[in-house]
Amino acid sequence: MGHEKALKMLIMACKKGEKIGVKYDAKITAADHFNLPTNQSIYDFIGNGGLECVDFINKMAWKLNPRPENKSQVYAYSFYSHTLFGYLAFIVNPETGYIMIKSFKKNESPDQRNLPLKGLQALIKHFKEGE
């Protein structure tokens, strides 16, 4: 399945509150990083458009799948929520359509919005050292 379809499935599952779950670690970081303390608050956030500027990262087979024959896939995305840069990964079971949110946390990768400023900072430092 393509990553666009997987994301649409996630959003729809969150809107309906059906065939969706949240792993314990994802629930803890969603509460700590995004002030989303319950499964329902996570579903509401995703289902009501809380993921802004969503960018697909990758798709891979679920490594810890207890039933590898069902070919569950993990989809990973970066997103913004106001000033926060986030990371979301979820598992899709192709047999049942069930989705499990595996990770919901602040993104550890560099915030793409700040990368141009890093180049500018280096130039400013270079010119100050040359004075």
Side-chain angles (χ1 to χ4, degrees):
M1 157 184 348
H3 64 88
E4 295 97 351
K5 183 176 179 181
L7 184 60
K8 286 179 185 175
M9 283 179 63
L10 170 71
I11 293 168
M12 189 56 63
C14 287
K15 283 182 180 182
K16 291 180 177 181
E18 298 173 356
K19 293 189 175 186
I20 185 79
V22 181
K23 287 183 126 340
Y24 178 78
D25 290 346
K27 184 176 178 178
I28 297 301
T29 55
D32 291 348
H33 300 173
F34 292 91
N35 196 29
L36 301 170
T38 66
N39 287 11
Q40 189 60 52
S41 64
I42 295 167
Y43 304 154
D44 291 345
F45 177 84
I46 294 170
N48 293 321
L51 304 175
E52 303 166 15
C53 302
V54 179
D55 191 31
F56 175 68
I57 298 172
N58 63 19
K59 167 184 148 179
M60 63 179 58
W62 181 25
K63 294 177 184 173
L64 300 177
N65 188 348
R67 292 186 48 229
E69 67 277 4
N70 79 4
K71 308 288 187 215
S72 292
Q73 297 288 309
V74 178
Y75 295 83
Y77 302 81
S78 63
F79 68 92
Y80 292 99
S81 176
H82 303 290
T83 60
L84 295 175
F85 186 41
Y87 173 84
L88 168 70
F90 57 92
I91 303 162
V92 177
N93 182 320
E95 289 180 4
T96 64
Y98 192 85
I99 296 173
M100 177 63 71
I101 297 172
K102 181 179 178 296
S103 185
F104 194 107
K105 61 185 179 178
K106 283 185 183 176
N107 199 323
E108 300 297 324
S109 297
D111 183 338
Q112 299 298 313
R113 296 175 295 183
N114 295 331
L115 289 180
L117 297 177
K118 291 191 183 293
L120 180 59
Q121 289 171 342
L123 283 172
I124 291 170
K125 182 179 177 185
H126 174 75
F127 284 113
K128 283 185 177 180
E129 290 173 355
E131 291 178 349

